[in-house]
PDB file of all heavy atoms in Angstrom:
ATOM      1  N   LEU A 453       3.623   9.569  -9.292  1.00 98.00           N
ATOM      2  CA  LEU A 453       2.301   9.191  -8.819  1.00 98.00           C
ATOM      3  C   LEU A 453       1.985   7.762  -9.252  1.00 98.00           C
ATOM      4  O   LEU A 453       2.159   7.404 -10.418  1.00 98.00           O
ATOM      5  CB  LEU A 453       1.252  10.150  -9.379  1.00 98.00           C
ATOM      6  CG  LEU A 453      -0.203   9.894  -8.975  1.00 98.00           C
ATOM      7  CD1 LEU A 453      -0.387  10.015  -7.472  1.00 98.00           C
ATOM      8  CD2 LEU A 453      -1.130  10.852  -9.722  1.00 98.00           C
ATOM      9  N   LEU A 454       1.524   6.948  -8.319  1.00 98.00           N
ATOM     10  CA  LEU A 454       1.202   5.553  -8.594  1.00 98.00           C
ATOM     11  C   LEU A 454      -0.302   5.336  -8.539  1.00 98.00           C
ATOM     12  O   LEU A 454      -1.033   6.110  -7.909  1.00 98.00           O
ATOM     13  CB  LEU A 454       1.857   4.643  -7.544  1.00 98.00           C
ATOM     14  CG  LEU A 454       3.360   4.810  -7.292  1.00 98.00           C
ATOM     15  CD1 LEU A 454       3.789   3.885  -6.157  1.00 98.00           C
ATOM     16  CD2 LEU A 454       4.158   4.523  -8.555  1.00 98.00           C
ATOM     17  N   THR A 455      -0.747   4.287  -9.172  1.00 97.00           N
ATOM     18  CA  THR A 455      -2.098   3.821  -8.892  1.00 97.00           C
ATOM     19  C   THR A 455      -2.109   3.233  -7.490  1.00 97.00           C
ATOM     20  O   THR A 455      -1.069   2.876  -6.933  1.00 97.00           O
ATOM     21  CB  THR A 455      -2.543   2.742  -9.895  1.00 97.00           C
ATOM     22  OG1 THR A 455      -1.605   1.652  -9.840  1.00 97.00           O
ATOM     23  CG2 THR A 455      -2.595   3.277 -11.312  1.00 97.00           C
ATOM     24  N   ALA A 456      -3.279   3.135  -6.895  1.00 98.00           N
ATOM     25  CA  ALA A 456      -3.401   2.530  -5.575  1.00 98.00           C
ATOM     26  C   ALA A 456      -3.310   1.006  -5.707  1.00 98.00           C
ATOM     27  O   ALA A 456      -3.470   0.457  -6.810  1.00 98.00           O
ATOM     28  CB  ALA A 456      -4.725   2.943  -4.943  1.00 98.00           C
ATOM     29  N   PRO A 457      -3.080   0.300  -4.617  1.00 98.00           N
ATOM     30  CA  PRO A 457      -2.960  -1.158  -4.698  1.00 98.00           C
ATOM     31  C   PRO A 457      -4.159  -1.854  -5.334  1.00 98.00           C
ATOM     32  O   PRO A 457      -4.001  -2.884  -6.003  1.00 98.00           O
ATOM     33  CB  PRO A 457      -2.801  -1.577  -3.229  1.00 98.00           C
ATOM     34  CG  PRO A 457      -2.185  -0.394  -2.566  1.00 98.00           C
ATOM     35  CD  PRO A 457      -2.763   0.800  -3.262  1.00 98.00           C
ATOM     36  N   ASN A 458      -5.357  -1.285  -5.147  1.00 96.00           N
ATOM     37  CA  ASN A 458      -6.556  -1.915  -5.715  1.00 96.00           C
ATOM     38  C   ASN A 458      -6.819  -1.512  -7.157  1.00 96.00           C
ATOM     39  O   ASN A 458      -7.853  -1.850  -7.724  1.00 96.00           O
ATOM     40  CB  ASN A 458      -7.777  -1.603  -4.853  1.00 96.00           C
ATOM     41  CG  ASN A 458      -8.094  -0.117  -4.798  1.00 96.00           C
ATOM     42  OD1 ASN A 458      -7.439   0.698  -5.444  1.00 96.00           O
ATOM     43  ND2 ASN A 458      -9.102   0.245  -4.018  1.00 96.00           N
ATOM     44  N   GLY A 459      -5.889  -0.776  -7.765  1.00 97.00           N
ATOM     45  CA  GLY A 459      -6.033  -0.401  -9.169  1.00 97.00           C
ATOM     46  C   GLY A 459      -6.702   0.926  -9.411  1.00 97.00           C
ATOM     47  O   GLY A 459      -6.732   1.407 -10.547  1.00 97.00           O
ATOM     48  N   SER A 460      -7.231   1.561  -8.378  1.00 97.00           N
ATOM     49  CA  SER A 460      -7.882   2.859  -8.533  1.00 97.00           C
ATOM     50  C   SER A 460      -6.862   3.976  -8.338  1.00 97.00           C
ATOM     51  O   SER A 460      -5.699   3.734  -8.027  1.00 97.00           O
ATOM     52  CB  SER A 460      -9.033   2.992  -7.530  1.00 97.00           C
ATOM     53  OG  SER A 460      -8.539   2.933  -6.210  1.00 97.00           O
ATOM     54  N   ALA A 461      -7.318   5.209  -8.516  1.00 97.00           N
ATOM     55  CA  ALA A 461      -6.412   6.341  -8.350  1.00 97.00           C
ATOM     56  C   ALA A 461      -6.061   6.571  -6.889  1.00 97.00           C
ATOM     57  O   ALA A 461      -4.960   7.032  -6.566  1.00 97.00           O
ATOM     58  CB  ALA A 461      -7.043   7.602  -8.942  1.00 97.00           C
ATOM     59  N   SER A 462      -6.982   6.261  -5.990  1.00 98.00           N
ATOM     60  CA  SER A 462      -6.770   6.460  -4.560  1.00 98.00           C
ATOM     61  C   SER A 462      -7.703   5.527  -3.804  1.00 98.00           C
ATOM     62  O   SER A 462      -8.585   4.884  -4.391  1.00 98.00           O
ATOM     63  CB  SER A 462      -7.026   7.916  -4.156  1.00 98.00           C
ATOM     64  OG  SER A 462      -8.384   8.272  -4.408  1.00 98.00           O
ATOM     65  N   ILE A 463      -7.512   5.468  -2.503  1.00 98.00           N
ATOM     66  CA  ILE A 463      -8.375   4.670  -1.631  1.00 98.00           C
ATOM     67  C   ILE A 463      -8.978   5.605  -0.591  1.00 98.00           C
ATOM     68  O   ILE A 463      -8.260   6.384   0.046  1.00 98.00           O
ATOM     69  CB  ILE A 463      -7.593   3.533  -0.954  1.00 98.00           C
ATOM     70  CG1 ILE A 463      -7.058   2.550  -2.014  1.00 98.00           C
ATOM     71  CG2 ILE A 463      -8.475   2.784   0.046  1.00 98.00           C
ATOM     72  CD1 ILE A 463      -6.216   1.433  -1.449  1.00 98.00           C
ATOM     73  N   ASN A 464     -10.269   5.527  -0.408  1.00 98.00           N
ATOM     74  CA  ASN A 464     -10.968   6.474   0.460  1.00 98.00           C
ATOM     75  C   ASN A 464     -10.804   6.107   1.933  1.00 98.00           C
ATOM     76  O   ASN A 464     -11.760   5.802   2.643  1.00 98.00           O
ATOM     77  CB  ASN A 464     -12.450   6.543   0.090  1.00 98.00           C
ATOM     78  CG  ASN A 464     -13.149   7.739   0.752  1.00 98.00           C
ATOM     79  OD1 ASN A 464     -12.524   8.785   0.942  1.00 98.00           O
ATOM     80  ND2 ASN A 464     -14.417   7.580   1.094  1.00 98.00           N
ATOM     81  N   GLU A 465      -9.560   6.116   2.365  1.00 98.00           N
ATOM     82  CA  GLU A 465      -9.202   5.885   3.761  1.00 98.00           C
ATOM     83  C   GLU A 465      -8.083   6.857   4.126  1.00 98.00           C
ATOM     84  O   GLU A 465      -7.395   7.383   3.261  1.00 98.00           O
ATOM     85  CB  GLU A 465      -8.710   4.443   3.981  1.00 98.00           C
ATOM     86  CG  GLU A 465      -9.767   3.371   3.759  1.00 98.00           C
ATOM     87  CD  GLU A 465     -10.817   3.330   4.860  1.00 98.00           C
ATOM     88  OE1 GLU A 465     -10.631   4.030   5.891  1.00 98.00           O
ATOM     89  OE2 GLU A 465     -11.809   2.607   4.695  1.00 98.00           O
ATOM     90  N   SER A 466      -7.899   7.075   5.423  1.00 98.00           N
ATOM     91  CA  SER A 466      -6.791   7.896   5.891  1.00 98.00           C
ATOM     92  C   SER A 466      -5.479   7.133   5.719  1.00 98.00           C
ATOM     93  O   SER A 466      -5.442   5.906   5.804  1.00 98.00           O
ATOM     94  CB  SER A 466      -6.993   8.263   7.358  1.00 98.00           C
ATOM     95  OG  SER A 466      -8.225   8.942   7.543  1.00 98.00           O
ATOM     96  N   ALA A 467      -4.391   7.859   5.534  1.00 97.00           N
ATOM     97  CA  ALA A 467      -3.112   7.205   5.263  1.00 97.00           C
ATOM     98  C   ALA A 467      -2.610   6.378   6.442  1.00 97.00           C
ATOM     99  O   ALA A 467      -1.845   5.429   6.254  1.00 97.00           O
ATOM    100  CB  ALA A 467      -2.066   8.250   4.873  1.00 97.00           C
ATOM    101  N   TYR A 468      -3.026   6.703   7.649  1.00 97.00           N
ATOM    102  CA  TYR A 468      -2.496   5.994   8.815  1.00 97.00           C
ATOM    103  C   TYR A 468      -2.937   4.534   8.879  1.00 97.00           C
ATOM    104  O   TYR A 468      -2.361   3.735   9.636  1.00 97.00           O
ATOM    105  CB  TYR A 468      -2.875   6.708  10.109  1.00 97.00           C
ATOM    106  CG  TYR A 468      -4.306   6.513  10.562  1.00 97.00           C
ATOM    107  CD1 TYR A 468      -4.668   5.432  11.350  1.00 97.00           C
ATOM    108  CD2 TYR A 468      -5.299   7.431  10.211  1.00 97.00           C
ATOM    109  CE1 TYR A 468      -5.980   5.244  11.761  1.00 97.00           C
ATOM    110  CE2 TYR A 468      -6.599   7.257  10.622  1.00 97.00           C
ATOM    111  CZ  TYR A 468      -6.939   6.169  11.397  1.00 97.00           C
ATOM    112  OH  TYR A 468      -8.231   5.998  11.803  1.00 97.00           O
ATOM    113  N   VAL A 469      -3.954   4.135   8.110  1.00 97.00           N
ATOM    114  CA  VAL A 469      -4.420   2.743   8.179  1.00 97.00           C
ATOM    115  C   VAL A 469      -3.576   1.800   7.327  1.00 97.00           C
ATOM    116  O   VAL A 469      -3.800   0.592   7.344  1.00 97.00           O
ATOM    117  CB  VAL A 469      -5.908   2.619   7.791  1.00 97.00           C
ATOM    118  CG1 VAL A 469      -6.770   3.548   8.614  1.00 97.00           C
ATOM    119  CG2 VAL A 469      -6.128   2.854   6.296  1.00 97.00           C
ATOM    120  N   PHE A 470      -2.603   2.336   6.583  1.00 98.00           N
ATOM    121  CA  PHE A 470      -1.760   1.494   5.736  1.00 98.00           C
ATOM    122  C   PHE A 470      -0.391   1.317   6.382  1.00 98.00           C
ATOM    123  O   PHE A 470       0.184   2.264   6.908  1.00 98.00           O
ATOM    124  CB  PHE A 470      -1.602   2.114   4.347  1.00 98.00           C
ATOM    125  CG  PHE A 470      -2.886   2.198   3.579  1.00 98.00           C
ATOM    126  CD1 PHE A 470      -3.679   3.335   3.658  1.00 98.00           C
ATOM    127  CD2 PHE A 470      -3.315   1.140   2.785  1.00 98.00           C
ATOM    128  CE1 PHE A 470      -4.879   3.423   2.968  1.00 98.00           C
ATOM    129  CE2 PHE A 470      -4.515   1.229   2.091  1.00 98.00           C
ATOM    130  CZ  PHE A 470      -5.301   2.367   2.177  1.00 98.00           C
ATOM    131  N   ASN A 471       0.122   0.103   6.337  1.00 96.00           N
ATOM    132  CA  ASN A 471       1.493  -0.122   6.780  1.00 96.00           C
ATOM    133  C   ASN A 471       2.212  -1.023   5.781  1.00 96.00           C
ATOM    134  O   ASN A 471       1.578  -1.707   4.967  1.00 96.00           O
ATOM    135  CB  ASN A 471       1.564  -0.687   8.198  1.00 96.00           C
ATOM    136  CG  ASN A 471       0.874  -2.015   8.353  1.00 96.00           C
ATOM    137  OD1 ASN A 471      -0.341  -2.109   8.198  1.00 96.00           O
ATOM    138  ND2 ASN A 471       1.634  -3.044   8.678  1.00 96.00           N
ATOM    139  N   MET A 472       3.539  -0.986   5.813  1.00 97.00           N
ATOM    140  CA  MET A 472       4.357  -1.630   4.779  1.00 97.00           C
ATOM    141  C   MET A 472       5.475  -2.441   5.427  1.00 97.00           C
ATOM    142  O   MET A 472       5.848  -2.210   6.573  1.00 97.00           O
ATOM    143  CB  MET A 472       4.981  -0.576   3.860  1.00 97.00           C
ATOM    144  CG  MET A 472       3.993   0.367   3.205  1.00 97.00           C
ATOM    145  SD  MET A 472       4.837   1.637   2.230  1.00 97.00           S
ATOM    146  CE  MET A 472       3.429   2.590   1.646  1.00 97.00           C
ATOM    147  N   ILE A 473       5.999  -3.383   4.653  1.00 97.00           N
ATOM    148  CA  ILE A 473       7.185  -4.111   5.071  1.00 97.00           C
ATOM    149  C   ILE A 473       7.978  -4.513   3.838  1.00 97.00           C
ATOM    150  O   ILE A 473       7.390  -4.855   2.799  1.00 97.00           O
ATOM    151  CB  ILE A 473       6.831  -5.341   5.922  1.00 97.00           C
ATOM    152  CG1 ILE A 473       8.096  -5.936   6.549  1.00 97.00           C
ATOM    153  CG2 ILE A 473       6.095  -6.392   5.115  1.00 97.00           C
ATOM    154  CD1 ILE A 473       7.824  -6.946   7.640  1.00 97.00           C
ATOM    155  N   ASP A 474       9.310  -4.444   3.936  1.00 96.00           N
ATOM    156  CA  ASP A 474      10.170  -4.900   2.851  1.00 96.00           C
ATOM    157  C   ASP A 474      10.288  -6.418   2.888  1.00 96.00           C
ATOM    158  O   ASP A 474      10.513  -7.008   3.955  1.00 96.00           O
ATOM    159  CB  ASP A 474      11.559  -4.280   2.975  1.00 96.00           C
ATOM    160  CG  ASP A 474      11.598  -2.837   2.522  1.00 96.00           C
ATOM    161  OD1 ASP A 474      10.531  -2.312   2.152  1.00 96.00           O
ATOM    162  OD2 ASP A 474      12.674  -2.234   2.541  1.00 96.00           O
ATOM    163  N   LEU A 475      10.167  -7.043   1.721  1.00 95.00           N
ATOM    164  CA  LEU A 475      10.286  -8.493   1.603  1.00 95.00           C
ATOM    165  C   LEU A 475      11.689  -8.878   1.147  1.00 95.00           C
ATOM    166  O   LEU A 475      12.363  -8.099   0.466  1.00 95.00           O
ATOM    167  CB  LEU A 475       9.247  -9.028   0.612  1.00 95.00           C
ATOM    168  CG  LEU A 475       7.783  -8.744   0.954  1.00 95.00           C
ATOM    169  CD1 LEU A 475       6.874  -9.210  -0.183  1.00 95.00           C
ATOM    170  CD2 LEU A 475       7.387  -9.417   2.262  1.00 95.00           C
ATOM    171  N   PRO A 476      12.148 -10.081   1.460  1.00 91.00           N
ATOM    172  CA  PRO A 476      13.490 -10.501   1.043  1.00 91.00           C
ATOM    173  C   PRO A 476      13.671 -10.629  -0.460  1.00 91.00           C
ATOM    174  O   PRO A 476      14.805 -10.662  -0.939  1.00 91.00           O
ATOM    175  CB  PRO A 476      13.647 -11.876   1.721  1.00 91.00           C
ATOM    176  CG  PRO A 476      12.665 -11.873   2.842  1.00 91.00           C
ATOM    177  CD  PRO A 476      11.520 -11.048   2.349  1.00 91.00           C
ATOM    178  N   ASP A 477      12.574 -10.700  -1.213  1.00 92.00           N
ATOM    179  CA  ASP A 477      12.691 -10.849  -2.669  1.00 92.00           C
ATOM    180  C   ASP A 477      12.773  -9.512  -3.397  1.00 92.00           C
ATOM    181  O   ASP A 477      12.693  -9.460  -4.624  1.00 92.00           O
ATOM    182  CB  ASP A 477      11.524 -11.677  -3.216  1.00 92.00           C
ATOM    183  CG  ASP A 477      10.156 -11.022  -2.985  1.00 92.00           C
ATOM    184  OD1 ASP A 477      10.114  -9.896  -2.447  1.00 92.00           O
ATOM    185  OD2 ASP A 477       9.137 -11.641  -3.340  1.00 92.00           O
ATOM    186  N   GLY A 478      12.929  -8.400  -2.656  1.00 92.00           N
ATOM    187  CA  GLY A 478      13.059  -7.095  -3.284  1.00 92.00           C
ATOM    188  C   GLY A 478      11.760  -6.358  -3.486  1.00 92.00           C
ATOM    189  O   GLY A 478      11.752  -5.257  -4.050  1.00 92.00           O
ATOM    190  N   ARG A 479      10.672  -6.921  -3.024  1.00 96.00           N
ATOM    191  CA  ARG A 479       9.368  -6.271  -3.128  1.00 96.00           C
ATOM    192  C   ARG A 479       8.959  -5.700  -1.775  1.00 96.00           C
ATOM    193  O   ARG A 479       9.651  -5.891  -0.780  1.00 96.00           O
ATOM    194  CB  ARG A 479       8.323  -7.268  -3.640  1.00 96.00           C
ATOM    195  CG  ARG A 479       8.601  -7.787  -5.047  1.00 96.00           C
ATOM    196  CD  ARG A 479       7.627  -8.893  -5.432  1.00 96.00           C
ATOM    197  NE  ARG A 479       7.756  -9.280  -6.828  1.00 96.00           N
ATOM    198  CZ  ARG A 479       8.602 -10.202  -7.269  1.00 96.00           C
ATOM    199  NH1 ARG A 479       9.404 -10.843  -6.402  1.00 96.00           N
ATOM    200  NH2 ARG A 479       8.668 -10.514  -8.547  1.00 96.00           N
ATOM    201  N   ALA A 480       7.837  -4.996  -1.742  1.00 97.00           N
ATOM    202  CA  ALA A 480       7.291  -4.470  -0.495  1.00 97.00           C
ATOM    203  C   ALA A 480       5.843  -4.919  -0.380  1.00 97.00           C
ATOM    204  O   ALA A 480       5.108  -4.932  -1.377  1.00 97.00           O
ATOM    205  CB  ALA A 480       7.372  -2.947  -0.455  1.00 97.00           C
ATOM    206  N   MET A 481       5.436  -5.294   0.826  1.00 98.00           N
ATOM    207  CA  MET A 481       4.049  -5.700   1.045  1.00 98.00           C
ATOM    208  C   MET A 481       3.315  -4.602   1.800  1.00 98.00           C
ATOM    209  O   MET A 481       3.872  -3.966   2.705  1.00 98.00           O
ATOM    210  CB  MET A 481       3.983  -7.014   1.815  1.00 98.00           C
ATOM    211  CG  MET A 481       2.565  -7.601   1.861  1.00 98.00           C
ATOM    212  SD  MET A 481       2.532  -9.384   2.233  1.00 98.00           S
ATOM    213  CE  MET A 481       2.983  -9.354   3.967  1.00 98.00           C
ATOM    214  N   VAL A 482       2.064  -4.380   1.405  1.00 98.00           N
ATOM    215  CA  VAL A 482       1.237  -3.325   1.995  1.00 98.00           C
ATOM    216  C   VAL A 482      -0.039  -3.941   2.547  1.00 98.00           C
ATOM    217  O   VAL A 482      -0.674  -4.770   1.889  1.00 98.00           O
ATOM    218  CB  VAL A 482       0.893  -2.247   0.943  1.00 98.00           C
ATOM    219  CG1 VAL A 482      -0.054  -1.207   1.532  1.00 98.00           C
ATOM    220  CG2 VAL A 482       2.159  -1.582   0.441  1.00 98.00           C
ATOM    221  N   ALA A 483      -0.386  -3.544   3.764  1.00 98.00           N
ATOM    222  CA  ALA A 483      -1.618  -4.006   4.396  1.00 98.00           C
ATOM    223  C   ALA A 483      -2.461  -2.806   4.786  1.00 98.00           C
ATOM    224  O   ALA A 483      -1.935  -1.733   5.101  1.00 98.00           O
ATOM    225  CB  ALA A 483      -1.301  -4.846   5.625  1.00 98.00           C
TER     226      ALA A 483
END
C-alpha cells in the first residue's frame, strides 16, 4: 500500500481519472 501522490492516504476521485506513463529515467509519471 502506497501513499497517494498528494501525500494523503487516498484521493477522493474515481480511479479512471488517473493515467500513467513510464519515463526514460526509470520513473513513472501520473496525471
Side-chain angles (χ1 to χ4, degrees):
L453 180 62
L454 308 176
T455 58
N458 63 3
S460 62
S462 62
I463 297 177
N464 193 33
E465 294 288 351
S466 303
Y468 77 87
V469 306
F470 296 91
N471 60 295
M472 304 176 182
I473 190 167
D474 283 2
L475 301 174
D477 62 3
R479 297 173 172 88
M481 190 160 72
V482 176

